[in-house]
Amino acid sequence: MSDKATLILDGKTYELPIIEGTEGEKAIDISKLFKETGYITFDPGYVNTGSCTSAITYMDGKNGILRYRGIPIEQLAEHSTFVETSYLLIHGELPTPDELSHFSSLLNDHSLVHEDMKAFFSNYPRGAHPMGILSSMVNALRAFYPEVPERSHEEEIDLTVARLLSKLRTLAAMSYKISRGHLVIYPSHELGYCANFLNMMFDSPVKPYVIDYDVVRALEVFWIISADHEQNCSTSAVRHVGSARVNLYASISAGISALWGPLHGGANQEVVEMLERIKNSGGDPRPFIERAKDKEDPFRLMGFGHRVYKTYDPRVPIIKKMVDRILEKLERTDPLLEIAQNLEEAAVNDPYFIEHDLYPNVDFYSGILLRAMDIPVNMFPVMFAIGRLPGWISQWKESMDDPNQKLCRPRQVYTGPTNRDYIPRDKRISRSKR
Ligand code: SDX
């Protein structure tokens, strides 16, 4: 393999270094291109651009591989817990039993939020989307938990990490309870991370929530497979905002906002709403598939397609297994599951989807799993955010520690008006008369 790329520009020859990752991924290093050639590159949406090197998550889009710190997602979903996987992503290694116990008790100790935050919720418009509330509340955490000069930078970061991991989950459950006018349920030191969330969501003084540990395991696995995904849109937002050296809370708040988008983490809510529309129109998915293929129609098949995976998203079979397991345990059926399976069958065998390498992604079945847990549909993106938080944190920490990381400030190719003079107000012609 050559270690340089040759570029010929305006009769001059330039050699650009090639860098190779531990899994054989190759990249042309253009970090000196503008300085040496006066040219920038042009790559809308960064389809062909690597923004950093990273040792956290490896994705192989051709073969449908996903590993956290080298460990296959399938093994973590089978054997790990969400707290343990969070530790692995953030610290780079699986924790010893003592390290895990210390980490878990740290999360427990920081699971409450400042009582004054309730005033934020009560003054938030009732119909606000939980992702907008969550993004605001996470930014507000910084005001309640400012940096303490006596603490070292490392201590400050470790404390902020524990606060975020624990309080984001509490804030999410609070937003649900308050949106329904129900009593806020506090975290319990007797429950683990995932069981605590479900209890905070569904417990009530008049109807105590009975914890089903199969449901808890399904939630745990959903959060494990959601925990990181290399440089996706929201993680790139966290790194981008963090590159200005703003605090971790503000960087995570930016990640939540990016994940909210229907093309990204908001797709899990869009998928279920799309499946409901298919059900209400008689259950035949074909008209929706035809719309998705029509270039004149902005409609997209939500939960299908991926920037990296050009085969099945490896998270899909794990989620599908949990859907089957939880529906069987709860002795429930979901009409949307059959519609989703019919839609998947029709789409993956359609020439357009085959030619475009469009397969179901993580969001296609995750909504059905969350419905089975009685999570309300507008909370689906919030559930994704809680799962993705350890990934965002690990990526933010890695970028802060990366000696090659600079302020993220891309350039552009300017296509506006060339140089022209200011026109005095009395000399201007209104646009309608031009
Ligand atoms: C997540 O990046 C990550 O890792 C994200 C994520 C994570 O864990 O962080 O995996 C989570 O966000 C999953 C994706 C959730 N979004 C959706 O399900 C929304 C529907 N999917 C698409 O909008 C789309 O597939 C994207 C946004 C996910 C990816 O789009 P790209 O890579 O920008 O590709 P594109 O929009 O340029 O599409 C390429 C072609 C186009 O056709 P042509 O113009 O080339 O003929 O594929 C078509 C698109 O029209 N296409 C679709 C389609 N997705 C792509 N056509 C119909 N339905 C779709 N869903």
Side-chain angles (χ1 to χ4, degrees), residues 157-227:
I157 292 293
D158 286 348
L159 197 47
T160 303
V161 166
R163 283 176 173 148
L164 267 168
L165 283 171
S166 204
K167 295 179 194 302
L168 188 86
R169 175 201 52 178
T170 304
L171 287 168
M174 276 176 79
S175 68
Y176 171 65
K177 283 299 203 185
I178 290 170
S179 72
R180 296 167 64 89
H182 291 181
L183 180 74
V184 168
I185 302 297
Y186 283 73
S188 160
H189 69 282
E190 288 163 355
L191 296 175
Y193 188 95
C194 300
N196 234 326
F197 173 76
L198 292 170
N199 193 60
M200 286 191 275
M201 284 283 289
F202 301 119
D203 192 34
S204 149
V206 294
K207 191 178 179 196
Y209 178 64
V210 177
I211 293 174
D212 178 328
Y213 278 90
D214 287 320
V215 175
V216 173
R217 185 62 197 160
L219 177 58
E220 186 117 65
V221 169
F222 171 69
W223 277 343
I224 287 171
I225 61 111
S226 304

Side-chain angles (χ1 to χ4, degrees), residues 18-39:
I18 301 275
I19 58 176
E20 184 172 354
T22 50
E23 288 285 350
E25 291 164 304
K26 297 173 187 61
I28 301 169
D29 179 346
I30 58 167
S31 47
K32 295 187 176 53
L33 181 74
F34 182 68
K35 192 175 175 185
E36 290 175 1
T37 70
Y39 281 71

